Amino acid sequence: MDKIQRVGSLASVKRLPAYLRLLMQIKEVGRDIVSSNYIAEKLKLDAIQVRKDLATTGIEGKPKVGYQVSALINAIESFLGWDSNREAFLVGVGNLGSALLGYEGFEAHGMKIIAAFDTDEGKIGRQIHGKNVLPLDKLTDLARRMNIKMGIITVTADQAQHVANVMVAGGIEAIWNFAPVSLEVPEGIIAQNEDLSSGLAVLSVKTVRLLDS
Amino acid sequence: MDKIQRVGSLASVKRLPAYLRLLMQIKEVGRDIVSSNYIAEKLKLDAIQVRKDLATTGIEGKPKVGYQVSALINAIESFLGWDSNREAFLVGVGNLGSALLGYEGFEAHGMKIIAAFDTDEGKIGRQIHGKNVLPLDKLTDLARRMNIKMGIITVTADQAQHVANVMVAGGIEAIWNFAPVSLEVPEGIIAQNEDLSSGLAVLSVKTVRLLDS
C-alpha cells in the first residue's frame, strides 16, 4: 500500500508543472475561479485525478464552484518550493547543457543556474546564454564559498560519476543528472536521474501496437 | 484499481531502459545469469519491484538462480519495440534539437532520426550531427513519400501546435513533444509530452525538506 501511494503521489508531483502553466494562462486572461472539470478537459485528464493531484498541495476546491486561481498557483509554487530561489551549478556545456542554460522556465521554478563548468579549453572563458563557463577544477571551491546546494550534470555517461564526486566534495546536496548512468552518492545526497530513454520507452510501448499492427 | 495498475506499469516501463543498460554491461563482462537482488542493488531499487518490473516483459526469473541475461535483454527490447527500426523526423534545430540529433542512444532504441526541419534560413541547408536540416514546409510531403510515422518537436511552446499540425498532415502518428505545452491532436494520434519541468518538480519536492530545513 505504501508503495502504491508513493508512485501515485510522484505521478501527481510530475503533473503539477502542467497545472501551474495552465493556471498562469487562466490568470492572465483575468479569470479568478476555475473548476476541476475545466482543468481536466484542457489537460486531457480525469477530473477526479485533477482533484486528487491538486489536493497534494493542501488546497481543495469548493464543490460546484471550483478553485481560486491565485490561491492555487501560490499553493503549487509553495509545495514545490518554486517560490524560493535556489542557485545551481551546471557541468557539461554540450548541446544539452547549452539548452538547459538557455531554458527560461527554470528561474520561474525557483532555480537559477548561475555558472557552468567544463573541461574543454575551447569552452572555458566563454559565455553561454549569459552564463560564464568556468574550469571544472574550480567547482568544489566555488560551490563551498558560494554555498551552492544544487548541481546539474550534462556530461557523457563515462564522466558523470567523477562530476558527481566533485559536486559532493563542494557541498552540493541535490544533483539533477542527465547522463544515462546511475550515480553513487553518499547517504543524504539526492541524485535524480533524468533519463531521456525513459520517455522514449513510454512512447515506444504506446506506439508498438499502433505502428506495427 | 484500474488507475493504480496503469500508473504502476507506466512506472515500470520508464525503468526498463535502466535495466537494459545494466544488463548490457553485465553481458559485456561475460556473465550469463543475474539475480534480481543484484539488479536491485545496482539500481537502488527493491528486489520485489525489480521482479515485478521485469515480469511486464513476460520473462520470469528462476527462484534461487536468476535471469538469463541475453533472454532478458531480448525480452525488454522486444517489449519496447526497440528491436525494430523506426524512422523519425525532428523539427526545431535549437540547442535541445541539436542535442537530440547527436544522442547516439536512440538508434540502439529502434529510433533513427533521419532528417531535421526548421524555419530559420540560417540553419536550413546545414548538416547537424550528420543530419540535413530541411525547410519545415517540405515536411508534410516528405513524411508522406517516405512513410515516416514518428515526429519529435523541439521548437518553442508557441510554435509547437503548428508543427504538430504539419506532422499530422504528413501522416505522422506518434509525436514526442519537448515543448512545454499540451498539443491538440486528432484521435488515434499519440502525443507524448516530455516536460523537463516535471523532473525539476520531483527534484524540488525531494530537496525542499533537505535544503530548507
Side-chain angles (χ1 to χ4, degrees), chain B residues 120-196:
Chain B
D120 181 344
E121 295 290 341
K123 288 172 181 163
I124 292 166
R126 287 177 55 193
Q127 276 214 342
I128 294 181
H129 296 294
K131 275 100 177 187
N132 291 314
V133 181
L134 307 171
L136 180 59
D137 57 21
K138 301 275 185 212
L139 188 145
T140 302
D141 190 43
L142 266 179
R144 289 237 169 260
R145 277 166 48 201
M146 300 178 73
N147 200 31
I148 304 295
K149 297 296 177 195
M150 290 186 86
I152 304 171
I153 296 181
T154 47
V155 297
T156 52
D158 57 318
Q159 298 175 299
Q161 184 62 54
H162 170 65
V163 171
N165 298 347
V166 168
M167 286 180 168
V168 171
I172 283 176
E173 294 173 347
I175 296 174
W176 197 10
N177 174 37
F178 286 79
V181 63
S182 286
L183 300 175
E184 303 272 343
V185 291
E187 201 155 7
I189 306 292
I190 294 165
Q192 179 175 302
N193 289 319
E194 194 72 30
D195 188 348
L196 292 181

Side-chain angles (χ1 to χ4, degrees), chain B:
Chain B
M1 192 60 207
D2 175 57
K3 209 151 275 175
I4 291 165
Q5 193 72 34
R6 201 170 53 79
V7 170
S9 73
L10 199 63
S12 296
V13 168
K14 286 187 180 177
R15 281 189 288 268
L16 290 179
Y19 290 117
L20 193 56
R21 248 186 332 257
L22 177 64
L23 291 164
M24 297 284 203
Q25 287 168 9
I26 292 169
K27 191 183 173 186
E28 235 165 65
V29 297
R31 279 179 60 179
D32 297 331
I33 303 286
V34 66
S35 70
S36 54
N37 286 328
Y38 180 85
I39 295 174
E41 195 197 311
K42 281 288 173 188
L43 297 181
K44 296 185 195 76
L45 295 166
D46 183 83
I48 296 169
Q49 184 71 62
V50 169
R51 289 194 286 275
K52 212 176 116 192
D53 286 346
L54 295 176
T56 62
T57 68
I59 290 262
E60 307 230 344
K62 278 192 186 157
K64 316 244 174 190
V65 181
Y67 297 90
Q68 265 224 303
V69 175
S70 296
L72 195 48
I73 288 174
N74 291 343
I76 295 174
E77 289 186 335
S78 162
F79 178 77
L80 293 174
W82 286 2
D83 50 355
S84 65
N85 205 347
R86 284 181 243 119
E87 295 178 324
F89 280 170
L90 177 145
V91 178
V93 190
N95 283 314
L96 181 60
S98 300
L100 296 184
L101 287 174
Y103 185 63
E104 288 164 12
F106 291 146
E107 292 205 20
H109 300 345
M111 185 178 75
K112 192 175 179 179
I113 305 174
I114 58 166
F117 296 81
D118 209 296
T119 52
D120 181 344
E121 295 290 341
K123 288 172 181 163
I124 292 166
R126 287 177 55 193
Q127 276 214 342
I128 294 181
H129 296 294
K131 275 100 177 187
N132 291 314
V133 181
L134 307 171
L136 180 59
D137 57 21
K138 301 275 185 212
L139 188 145
T140 302
D141 190 43
L142 266 179
R144 289 237 169 260
R145 277 166 48 201
M146 300 178 73
N147 200 31
I148 304 295
K149 297 296 177 195
M150 290 186 86
I152 304 171
I153 296 181
T154 47
V155 297
T156 52
D158 57 318
Q159 298 175 299
Q161 184 62 54
H162 170 65
V163 171
N165 298 347
V166 168
M167 286 180 168
V168 171
I172 283 176
E173 294 173 347
I175 296 174
W176 197 10
N177 174 37
F178 286 79
V181 63
S182 286
L183 300 175
E184 303 272 343
V185 291
E187 201 155 7
I189 306 292
I190 294 165
Q192 179 175 302
N193 289 319
E194 194 72 30
D195 188 348
L196 292 181
S197 302
S198 288
L200 184 58
V202 174
L203 185 67
S204 300
V205 167
K206 286 184 187 167
T207 54
V208 163
R209 237 164 250 208
L210 174 69
L211 301 184
D212 292 352
S213 63

Side-chain angles (χ1 to χ4, degrees), chain A residues 53-207:
Chain A
D53 286 347
L54 295 177
T56 61
T57 68
I59 290 264
E60 307 231 343
K62 278 196 184 152
K64 314 244 173 192
V65 179
Y67 296 90
Q68 263 224 304
V69 175
S70 295
L72 196 48
I73 289 174
N74 291 343
I76 295 174
E77 288 186 335
S78 161
F79 179 76
L80 293 174
W82 286 2
D83 50 357
S84 65
N85 204 349
R86 283 179 245 119
E87 296 178 322
F89 280 170
L90 177 143
V91 178
V93 190
N95 283 313
L96 181 59
S98 300
L100 297 185
L101 286 175
Y103 184 64
E104 288 163 15
F106 291 145
E107 293 206 21
H109 299 347
M111 185 179 73
K112 191 173 179 181
I113 305 175
I114 57 166
F117 296 82
D118 209 296
T119 53
D120 182 344
E121 295 290 340
K123 287 173 181 162
I124 292 166
R126 286 178 54 195
Q127 275 214 343
I128 295 181
H129 295 293
K131 275 101 179 186
N132 290 314
V133 182
L134 308 171
L136 180 59
D137 56 22
K138 301 274 185 212
L139 188 145
T140 303
D141 190 41
L142 266 178
R144 289 236 169 260
R145 278 167 46 199
M146 301 179 72
N147 199 29
I148 304 295
K149 297 298 178 193
M150 291 187 84
I152 304 171
I153 297 181
T154 47
V155 298
T156 53
D158 57 320
Q159 299 174 296
Q161 184 63 53
H162 170 63
V163 171
N165 298 347
V166 168
M167 286 179 169
V168 170
I172 283 176
E173 294 174 346
I175 297 174
W176 198 10
N177 174 37
F178 286 80
V181 63
S182 288
L183 299 175
E184 304 273 343
V185 290
E187 202 156 5
I189 306 293
I190 294 165
Q192 179 174 302
N193 288 320
E194 195 70 31
D195 187 349
L196 292 180
S197 303
S198 287
L200 184 58
V202 174
L203 185 67
S204 299
V205 166
K206 286 184 186 166
T207 55

